[in-house]
Structure formats: C-alpha cells, structure tokens
Amino acid sequence: MAIIPDSSPLRVHSAALSDTGKHRGNNEDAYIADPALGLFAVADGMGGHAGGEVASQLAIALLKEAAARAPDAAYLQSPSVAHRRALLGWLAQTVEAINEALLERARQDRKLHGMGCTLDVALVRAGGLFLAHVGDSRTYLLRGGVLRQVTEDHTLGQGLLSAGVLSAEDVARHPQRNVLTRALGPFPAVQVDTSFLELAAGDLFLLCSDGLHGEVSDEGIQRLLLGARERAAPPLVQAALDGGGRDNVTVVVLGVAQCPAERPSLIGSQRARDALAQSPLFRRLTEAELLRVQKIAVVQEVAAGAAVVGPDLPADALYVVVDGELSVHREEVSVGVLRCGDPFGSMALVEAPSDVVVRAETPARLLSFPLAEVRELFVTDPVLAAKLARGALERTAERLARVSATLARYRKAAKALAALG
Ligand code: CA
C-alpha cells in the first residue's frame, strides 16, 4: 500500500546523516527516513557494553515494522479529529510496546541490563504529521523562516522549568539539568508525548539527537537550515563536529514540497500558537504543551453573520478565536466582542445550553475543542489537564471578582439614592 500515492498533492522528501563524533568509539544513535512509509525517526541509545546500540536499533526496527501496518485507513478516508486521535493513540501504544520489548530483551540478556534509548517519531499521513516523543532528542520545524522546537526535552532541567519551579538561570546552573526523566527501556511504563501538525508546503522538519543540539545553538541550526534547506544534513553534522563532536550526532531532515491546497494549515502553526498563548485558559502552557493541546483541535471557518453558539445550537465544544471578530448577544442586546485569543463556548468544560448567542461580525477562523476530546485528553495527559483546569478556574475567579465589584457599585449607588430619598 502506498502511503503517499503519486497523484497525491502531498509530496515530501528527506535526507539523513549520522556520525560517531570525535570522542566516542561507537555510534549508539539509529534513525529511519522513509518517505514511502511516511516514517521518520531518531533514537539515541544509552547503556553499557553494546546496550545503547541494541536499544536504538531495535526501537527503529520495531517502529518500521509497526508503521507498515499502521491503522490509518479511517484517517486517510476522512481526517476527522476522532480518526486523528485514534492514530495518535496507536502511535503512543506502539512506542509503549517498544518500551516493553526493550525491557524484555534486557531481561533475556544480562549484558543489556539497563539499556535504553530516546525516540522521536514523525509519521506523515495525508497532509498531517503525527509526532511521538520520549527523551532528549528533538524535533524542530522551520516555517516562514523561523525555527521552532516542537518537542520538550524530558530532562530534569526542562521539567523544573516547565513546572515553574526554577528559572532559566537556575536551571542553566543545575548540575543535573541534563539527566533524562523519560526514556524507553529502563522502566516498565513510559509517558509518551504526542502532537499533531497540519503540514504546509515549504515546511522543513528536523529530527536530531542531542549530539546536534548539545553542540550547535538553535540560532546556528536555523541559519544552516535556512541556507541549505533539504540539503542541510551534512552541514548540520559538520557544525556539531566543529562544535566539539563530543557525542554521536544524527539528523533527519524532512521537507514538504507540496501539500493539499484546500487544507487550512492552522493546527500546529505559529498563528494558532499565538492565539492560544493570549488566551487566559492556555496562558500557563509551555511551547510544547501549546502544540500538544492542538492535537484535539478542529479548524472552523465561520461566515460573517453566522452564529456559532446559541440556545438552539449544540453546546459541546470550547472555542478560541484565531482570526476575525465575533459579537456576544444576550436577549438581542450586544454585551461583548471577541477577538484573537478570546475563548468562548463551553468555558466550564461541561456541556450546558448557552443563554448567549455568539455571531461572527466578520469572516472568522476558530479553533474548536470538542468536549469529548477534551475529556480524553484529560485522561491521557494529566500535566496538561492540571494546567487547563487551573486556567479555567482562574478565569472563573476573575469573572466572579468582576461581578462582585459591579454588585458593590450598584449597592453603593442604591444606598446613595436611599439617603437622597
Ligand atoms: Ca546522545
């Protein structure tokens, strides 16, 4: 079965390179870059003896085997959010199964005890990129000339930073900042980060081991990708060697030449990220979390004059405005305007009929989060769930504070009136 048929408006190409570096005796990194399978991945092995090599190579081999029979038919037929979630769920389960396979292999061979690896996977299907991530290898996206890291390192330092426990300066000084908090192989269970992005023509994705990002700054990576584009693999590896080459270095560069034009490439974009970051609900989320939450989002285009929320419409989604302007009406009276970043709909994250009407004043684009998907996300991503719940509570508290301030003003006015009378 061809994943990306020749007639498809989606065309991707890739290049990959791996180097042992200047100080290591062997290369414990492994990778795959297979446009026909729509599969791109980097694994960085660790563990004494041959453990690291065995772990990363086994992970990539198992991944390749799994990708060839990915249950993608439903998504390819209709790229709905439910089909997207099913494929992301399968990808996470596949990575969990690889974790179990590594554990089992180490159980059988004492020399391999404690082996493990990181894993970054990009699975491309019909204009969408399905991402899974464990460890400190990274995935970057270069779009519109700007480089973004779309994964978050599973290291002690990044964990303390994301939780808001330490500042960036404190983390930079922390002696254990680079200690891995998640990996495949060492533990019976693993939490897999998954995200989804809509591809756009001209996108350039980079998957790499820490042998690259440990030696070359993000600015350096951006400069080389901008300059050499799809041919950036050799100069990137050379830059890591010039920077010291203290570790194995592996890069997979994936370029999107052509994309289905009718698809709005909003999910995973900077525009969507900026809209969410402005929103009180999402403001506590890190960059990677802002991306992760979009995997359950649906793009909704609304014509001017159309209603999105109302007493007669289903109240089963939370919305965030990306483009355009909408008005809020209560009993035919306009009570507010919604613009980029403003959330509305099922704000309390429960389904309840709305007593207001929200109507588009101009053509608008929204990110819609179906409540059924939000509930699923809360189960699979507890960190994200806690931050979203906190955002919702803070917003409710702010609203209550505004209401009680208004009430206090009315009481004062009433008292003044009574004194006059
Ligand atoms: Ca490494």
Side-chain angles (χ1 to χ4, degrees):
M1 180 184 60
I3 303 305
I4 305 163
D6 285 345
S7 60
S8 159
L10 173 70
R11 204 152 295 164
V12 298
H13 38 75
S14 66
L17 195 58
S18 188
D19 195 288
T20 304
K22 290 178 169 174
H23 295 266
R24 299 285 177 93
N26 60 339
N27 193 342
E28 299 188 328
D29 288 355
Y31 68 88
I32 184 167
D34 189 337
L37 260 184
L39 180 67
F40 309 87
V42 167
D44 178 349
M46 70 200 90
H49 301 281
E53 265 176 84
V54 172
S56 62
Q57 285 174 17
L58 184 56
I60 295 293
L62 290 171
L63 189 64
K64 184 179 179 184
E65 211 179 284
R69 46 183 171 75
D72 51 16
Y75 178 81
L76 291 172
Q77 202 153 49
S78 132
S80 68
V81 68
H83 292 156
R84 184 200 304 162
R85 168 164 52 80
L87 198 48
L88 280 170
W90 169 82
L91 188 57
Q93 281 166 17
T94 300
V95 176
E96 286 163 12
I98 292 172
N99 183 57
E100 283 159 27
L102 293 183
L103 260 177
E104 185 51 38
R105 183 70 197 276
R107 242 182 241 131
Q108 289 164 4
D109 188 343
R110 279 180 53 87
K111 286 201 298 294
L112 300 176
H113 184 76
M115 73 170 178
C117 67
T118 70
L119 187 61
D120 267 38
V121 187
L123 184 76
V124 174
R125 289 291 184 277
L129 185 130
F130 297 77
L131 201 67
H133 163 73
V134 172
D136 67 353
S137 294
R138 288 182 181 172
T139 300
Y140 291 93
L141 165 61
L142 183 81
R143 180 183 283 178
V146 180
L147 186 74
R148 282 166 62 203
Q149 184 185 331
V150 294
T151 52
E152 200 164 76
D153 297 348
H154 296 141
T155 57
L156 193 62
Q158 183 59 50
L160 292 168
L161 190 65
S162 299
V165 175
L166 288 185
S167 69
E169 296 74 46
D170 291 337
V171 166
R173 281 195 302 266
H174 200 293
Q176 287 173 310
R177 63 186 178 278
N178 291 327
V179 170
L180 277 183
T181 49
R182 292 192 219 170
L184 299 182
F187 309 111
V190 65
Q191 168 87 23
V192 183
D193 284 350
T194 59
S195 354
F196 172 82
L197 295 103
E198 288 179 326
L199 297 173
D203 279 353
L204 215 51
F205 287 87
L206 166 68
L207 284 69
C208 65
S209 62
D210 65 339
L212 178 72
H213 63 78
E215 303 287 14
V216 188
S217 68
D218 283 5
E219 293 73 28
I221 292 174
Q222 174 174 301
R223 189 162 26 79
L224 290 168
L225 276 175
L226 275 172
R229 304 275 317 165
E230 286 83 356
R231 292 182 300 280
L236 283 167
V237 168
Q238 190 56 50
L241 297 175
D242 294 345
R246 283 161 286 194
D247 198 355
N248 308 142
V249 50
T250 301
V251 301
V252 170
V253 179
L254 160 64
V256 181
Q258 219 178 316
C259 214
E262 67 278 12
R263 286 180 64 86
S265 71
L266 189 63
I267 293 172
S269 70
Q270 190 69 32
R271 181 89 192 125
R273 176 244 170 258
D274 290 347
L276 291 178
Q278 280 182 42
S279 164
L281 266 183
F282 299 94
R283 68 183 162 205
R284 290 187 181 277
L285 271 54
T286 64
E287 289 297 315
E289 288 163 349
L290 283 170
L291 178 62
R292 245 157 52 220
V293 78
Q294 289 175 58
K295 69 186 167 195
I296 60 159
V298 182
V299 179
Q300 200 164 325
E301 309 219 9
V302 191
V308 186
V309 163
D312 306 326
L313 293 167
D316 55 0
L318 165 76
Y319 305 89
V320 176
V321 182
V322 179
D323 299 309
E325 200 174 288
L326 299 97
S327 56
V328 186
H329 300 265
R330 196 184 294 270
E331 288 161 12
E332 299 302 311
V333 181
S334 174
V335 291
V337 178
L338 300 168
R339 295 192 183 89
C340 180
D342 287 333
F344 66 96
S346 301
M347 289 295 304
L349 304 177
V350 291
E351 280 163 54
S354 179
D355 57 350
V356 298
V357 175
V358 176
R359 199 176 293 128
E361 293 295 322
T362 67
R365 271 198 309 175
L366 314 172
L367 284 180
S368 145
F369 297 84
L371 288 187
E373 299 294 332
V374 173
R375 279 193 283 270
E376 283 285 334
L377 184 70
F378 274 27
V379 175
T380 55
D381 201 329
V383 172
L384 210 50
K387 286 192 176 180
L388 281 178
R390 189 168 167 190
L393 276 175
E394 280 174 352
R395 196 182 142 84
T396 308
E398 278 165 21
R399 278 179 151 187
L400 279 174
R402 272 207 303 277
V403 168
S404 60
T406 309
L407 273 176
R409 273 206 306 280
Y410 280 139
R411 283 211 190 97
K412 216 168 154 188
K415 255 187 197 166
L417 274 174
L420 278 175

